[in-house]
Amino acid sequence: MFSKILAAALTLAAATPALSQDDPFAVDANPYVQLYARRVDVAKVQVEKQEAQVRFDTDQLTMTQYLADRNAASKEELRRAQLALALSQAALRESKFLVGEAEATLQIARVRIGGGQDMPICLK
């Protein structure tokens, strides 16, 4: 499988002419740049999902705290709600970091492709 992907990437690289940095539309039309742009899009969607999870876990913690204050929820349930929120907040921070990483890789691809250099595909 990897050899097929590598062969396709090498064929694409050989067929991809050097593009001018002065023409951003030509650079953005490059398949490598499009690949890395999609990775940015995917990372941003992950941030949206994590933000929704943080909102949900915040609501759950608020409700559990309310119930715990009235002895209608156990301390264990409260600890679980606190942990769920802490984990979702950490996942959100990680997702935001991955957006930055994807955007940096996209910028590197634009510069390299615009300068006529090859851009290796990083398989994640």
Side-chain angles (χ1 to χ4, degrees):
M1 178 67 177
F2 179 74
S3 60
K4 289 181 181 178
I5 294 172
L6 182 59
L10 292 174
T11 302
L12 182 61
T16 303
L19 301 171
S20 169
Q21 186 75 15
D22 298 332
D23 187 0
F25 296 109
V27 172
D28 286 342
N30 181 278
Y32 290 121
V33 173
Q34 290 178 356
L35 170 70
Y36 288 108
R38 295 299 73 78
R39 288 184 179 178
V40 170
D41 294 341
V42 168
K44 287 180 178 179
V45 168
Q46 189 63 31
V47 167
E48 291 175 17
K49 287 170 51 178
Q50 289 305 134
E51 288 172 341
Q53 186 66 49
V54 167
R55 286 190 302 275
F56 176 79
D57 290 339
T58 300
D59 291 345
Q60 289 295 109
L61 178 57
T62 301
M63 181 181 64
T64 305
Q65 182 67 57
Y66 177 83
L67 294 172
D69 290 346
R70 286 153 183 78
N71 294 323
S74 69
K75 289 183 181 183
E76 179 63 27
E77 289 171 316
L78 180 58
R79 282 193 296 265
R80 285 185 187 156
Q82 291 167 335
L83 177 60
L85 178 57
L87 290 173
S88 63
Q89 289 171 333
L92 176 58
R93 286 190 300 274
E94 179 184 22
S95 294
K96 287 180 177 181
F97 171 80
L98 293 174
V99 168
E101 183 180 56
E103 288 173 339
T105 304
L106 174 59
Q107 185 59 30
I108 290 167
R110 284 184 173 137
V111 169
R112 288 182 62 92
I113 297 299
Q117 298 174 342
D118 189 19
M119 183 67 194
I121 295 179
C122 299
L123 302 174
K124 272 189 176 179

